[in-house]
Amino acid sequence: MESLSFVFADRATVQGYLGSDVQKDVVEQLLQLNADKILFITDETVDALHGSYFAELQTNATCGETGMESITEAPLIEKYVLPSGDAAKSWDNLSDLVKWSFSTGATKKSVVVAFGGGALLNVAGLFASITFRGMKLIYVPTTFLAMHDVVTSLKTSICFDGRKNNIGSFYAPLMIFIDVAFCRTLPKSELFSGLGELAKNAALLGGEHAKGFISALSKDSIDSHNGG
């Protein structure tokens, strides 16, 4: 995985990682957090497509840098599945997440892993920001839009009383893992949605951002990465 930093002005600097098919690397990083529990929050669609992504966390054996097998006590795993899309961002779901975390015996040493698209990250991030006055939070975005837009903001939110994103907070995750391999299972509409938002941000920022966007989508660049 490529290491990168997400700098949120003077609020926070978050460690990020970028790669493709980096499931094993993500699992190893999570194990190094020495959590007593890992609270996975995902949605129905992601659970159906990628429910086994973190299966290796269920075992105790991990491989160290030398290639020698070392034994690390695996954390207890809990999982909560929310509805897909904006239906996840409700007061009832937020309340249920808090009740669920307490029922599992979660503590300040527990780690929340938000695994899904933008809506899922929003509600899971808000949950992590208020429970125990702030829990360790990891983002693993699974949509193109979430990978470059949602995780580059500290905003968390739910929708209440017919209004959109009217309850929320600003909260920094501990780490962000971007595995672009998830894009393989996205419908074209999701890919174009993410691409459109990326184009908007490139146009607003201008300069090297706009040049980089144009260069990445040039015919020569695309052909070179896809065998001509």
Side-chain angles (χ1 to χ4, degrees):
M1 289 189 297
E2 176 187 352
S3 177
L4 63 158
S5 295
F6 292 87
V7 181
F8 300 95
D10 59 349
R11 284 179 176 265
T13 298
V14 177
Q15 180 64 56
Y17 296 94
L18 172 67
S20 181
D21 295 309
V22 290
Q23 174 185 6
K24 186 173 182 180
D25 295 323
V26 173
V27 167
E28 288 179 356
Q29 289 286 340
L30 290 179
L31 285 172
Q32 290 178 20
L33 297 176
N34 295 318
D36 59 353
K37 289 180 183 291
I38 293 183
L39 306 182
F40 282 105
I41 304 174
T42 189
D43 65 39
E44 294 167 347
T45 300
V46 174
D47 192 48
L49 291 171
H50 309 292
S52 62
Y53 189 80
F54 295 99
E56 288 189 30
L57 275 174
Q58 304 289 345
T59 64
N60 289 346
T62 62
C63 187
E65 292 181 0
T66 62
M68 299 296 291
E69 188 179 76
S70 59
I71 302 301
T72 301
E73 184 177 353
L76 295 174
I77 307 297
E78 305 286 352
K79 183 170 74 171
Y80 198 96
V81 181
L82 290 169
S84 299
D86 279 350
K89 296 171 58 172
S90 71
W91 179 265
D92 287 343
N93 285 331
L94 178 63
S95 299
D96 288 344
L97 283 173
V98 174
K99 295 173 185 176
W100 163 70
S101 68
F102 292 154
S103 71
T104 65
T107 71
K108 284 283 286 185
K109 289 186 64 178
S110 303
V111 174
V112 176
V113 176
F115 183 43
L120 187 283
L121 300 188
N122 280 173
V123 64
L126 180 55
F127 156 72
S129 75
I130 62 176
T131 309
F132 296 115
R133 289 190 283 189
M135 297 181 71
K136 292 178 181 177
L137 171 65
I138 307 294
Y139 281 152
V140 185
T142 58
T143 65
F144 187 29
L145 182 61
M147 288 174 188
H148 70 79
D149 185 68
V150 177
V151 299
T152 56
S153 166
L154 299 179
K155 293 181 289 187
T156 75
S157 66
I158 59 169
C159 304
F160 180 71
D161 195 28
R163 297 180 176 91
K164 191 166 179 69
N165 299 329
N166 58 334
I167 296 178
S169 65
F170 291 91
Y171 192 67
L174 182 65
M175 288 187 285
I176 300 168
F177 296 104
I178 300 175
D179 188 340
V180 297
F182 290 123
C183 290
R184 296 183 189 129
T185 59
L186 295 176
K188 286 185 178 181
S189 59
E190 280 284 345
L191 292 172
F192 282 116
S193 173
L195 191 61
E197 191 69 20
L198 193 60
K200 183 196 79 173
N201 291 337
L204 289 172
L205 293 169
E208 63 183 49
H209 300 282
K211 290 179 181 177
F213 178 78
I214 294 171
S215 175
L217 290 182
S218 69
K219 183 178 185 302
D220 289 343
S221 178
I222 292 174
D223 286 347
S224 67
H225 286 86
N226 294 275

